[in-house]
């Protein structure tokens, strides 16, 4: 998801800011990674505002990815450049921005049809 290129090429403005800050996704994590391990690694690139790791409910181990949030885009960019492709806890990790801007010219909202609403069938009671 994060490593999909928008319209075939990445421009300088493809990442999108979340409500709070700049979120990067870290994939390829060792299942025994802890939040403290990630805080130590990504804290070297700036202040980590938030860190979220998905855990398997059955085993309690990490599912292989995490989200790391920075307040500044520059810190997130430094973290991506400094960590992607590196070995962390015996596994190679990949990092990238988690959110991307929508491509220009795309359908942002559903276009009204002749019925005046979205392109869907009418309810059974209104036929």
């Amino acid at each position: 998801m994060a490593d999909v290129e928008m319209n075939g090429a990445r421009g300088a403005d493809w990442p999108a800011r979340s409500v709070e800050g700049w979120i990067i996704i870290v994939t390829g994590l060792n299942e025994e990674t802890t939040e403290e391990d990630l805080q130590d690694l990504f804290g070297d690139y700036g202040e980590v505002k938030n860190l979220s790791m998905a855990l398997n409910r059955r085993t309690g181990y990490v599912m292989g990815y995490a989200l790391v949030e920075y307040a500044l885009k520059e810190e997130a960019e430094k973290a991506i450049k400094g960590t992607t492709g590196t070995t962390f806890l015996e596994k190679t990790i990949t990092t990238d921005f988690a959110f991307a801007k929508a491509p220009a010219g795309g359908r942002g909202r559903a276009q009204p049809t002749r019925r005046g609403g979205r392109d869907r069938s009418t309810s059974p009671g209104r036929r």
Side-chain angles (χ1 to χ4, degrees):
M1 194 161 84
D3 52 0
V4 173
E5 294 185 2
M6 304 299 290
N7 289 337
R10 288 187 178 168
D13 63 343
W14 81 268
R17 187 179 190 279
S18 74
V19 175
E20 301 275 330
W22 296 90
I23 298 178
I24 62 174
I25 185 166
V26 184
T27 57
L29 290 174
N30 185 310
E31 65 182 15
E32 296 182 5
T33 303
T34 65
E35 285 189 16
E36 188 175 304
D37 293 332
L38 290 175
Q39 186 72 40
D40 289 344
L41 176 66
F42 289 96
D44 292 343
Y45 300 98
E47 181 186 350
V48 175
K49 287 181 59 178
N50 193 9
L51 193 133
S52 178
M53 293 183 355
L55 301 177
N56 183 310
R57 288 184 187 181
R58 187 173 50 82
T59 64
Y61 288 121
V62 177
M63 293 186 69
Y65 70 93
L67 300 172
V68 181
E69 182 178 351
Y70 290 98
L72 302 174
K73 183 178 180 183
E74 293 76 26
E75 292 174 341
E77 288 173 336
K78 282 193 310 186
I80 290 169
K81 288 178 185 167
T83 59
T84 195
T86 61
T87 302
F88 179 67
L89 299 179
E90 300 177 358
K91 290 194 75 179
T92 302
I93 61 171
T94 304
T95 54
D96 207 344
F97 282 102
F99 300 108
K101 291 181 182 176
R107 286 179 57 172
R109 291 188 163 193
Q111 301 295 319
T113 62
R114 64 175 184 234
R115 292 190 304 266
R118 294 187 310 228
D119 188 21
R120 61 181 182 191
S121 62
T122 57
S123 300
R126 295 187 180 194
R127 287 187 183 164

